[in-house]
Amino acid sequence: MTPTLSTIHVYPVKSCAPLALDEAVVEGRGLAGDRRWMLVDADDAFVTGRKFPRLTLVVAHPQVDALRLDAPGMPTLRVEVPDAGSARVDSEVWGAAVRPRVAADSAHAWFSDFLGHPVRLVYMDDGCARFVRAKYEGRYGRDGDQVSFADAFPLMLISQASLDALNARLEVAVPMLRFRPNIVIAGTTEHAEDDWKRIRIGAIEFEVAKACTRCVFTTVDFERGQFDPTGEPLRTLIGYRRAPDGVRFGQNLIARGRGIVRLGDPVEILEDA
């Protein structure tokens, strides 16, 4: 059976709700519209669902030069993409410095009201560069490889078989989106992606850069915006997917081409690890 691309998701605001797509544009920083916005706190430190799980209830819809925000109990808000005259803020994502542009005050107030904590919304424009190698000291990728506000790499992939194998071990199955992948591949054996080094999806090649190590964010029930009191699925993963660098589940990708990927695209393994 030929592996195929079975789902595509983007997360317009870091830690907020996923959007399912039938196709996506592959750019240097990842899929178009994926994690180009994030929140910072009063100290300009980046904010995620690890601290505020309610963020997963916020649905952000990219529009032309704007973002539409919806959340339970909140009015719909349209936020314009900051223009070239907007201020920048000095922040970082896991140690990698970034200088995003600051969104309108209305966005800050909206998110602060929803979270009950003062935050600001910021945007990654073309002038806000974040390099993969800055975090990993040249161990992964190539000079010039960039990434969005995602934790470490431009894209993340998981095979459906890997989730199925995990759910077979759990008392209560978890959905794939607990792991926030961009791309899910059907038609493989469990954890087949661990052995890939280079793949092609449709017409676009990707480097399989590094296994994705998992954290407490996997225990957030994104449909309720709360931590799962059982500590699953991380508790079970620790039992059989633990490695020296952490609990591994899924693989991080760097695109080596540009174009469009679509649901149903064949996946070709070009080089094994």
Side-chain angles (χ1 to χ4, degrees), residues 122-186:
V122 297
Y123 174 72
M124 174 179 275
D125 65 347
D126 290 343
C128 176
R130 179 177 170 229
F131 295 96
V132 171
R133 283 185 170 231
K135 176 176 174 61
Y136 288 104
E137 301 175 347
R139 288 179 290 160
Y140 303 102
R142 304 171 184 170
D143 288 336
D145 284 340
Q146 293 194 39
V147 58
S148 65
F149 290 138
D151 279 352
F153 289 90
L155 298 100
M156 204 267 287
L157 170 153
I158 300 176
S159 70
Q160 182 62 47
S162 297
L163 180 71
D164 293 344
L166 167 62
N167 279 333
R169 294 171 165 86
L170 296 174
E171 290 187 14
V172 178
V174 297
M176 178 67 81
L177 290 173
R178 282 284 189 101
F179 299 96
R180 301 178 75 80
N182 296 112
I183 288 172
V184 175
I185 305 300

Side-chain angles (χ1 to χ4, degrees), residues 46-109:
F46 75 109
V47 170
T48 76
R50 298 167 182 83
K51 183 174 182 180
F52 297 106
R54 275 172 57 80
L55 274 176
T56 62
L57 300 177
V58 176
V59 180
H61 289 279
Q63 300 177 326
V64 177
D65 296 326
L67 190 71
R68 192 187 81 224
L69 299 170
D70 290 286
M74 298 294 292
T76 297
L77 180 69
R78 185 179 185 274
V79 182
E80 292 187 359
V81 170
D83 60 27
S86 301
R88 293 191 183 274
V89 63
D90 291 311
S91 187
E92 54 82 28
V93 179
W94 298 120
V98 289
R99 296 195 71 237
R101 292 196 181 275
V102 180
D105 289 347
S106 58
H108 313 331

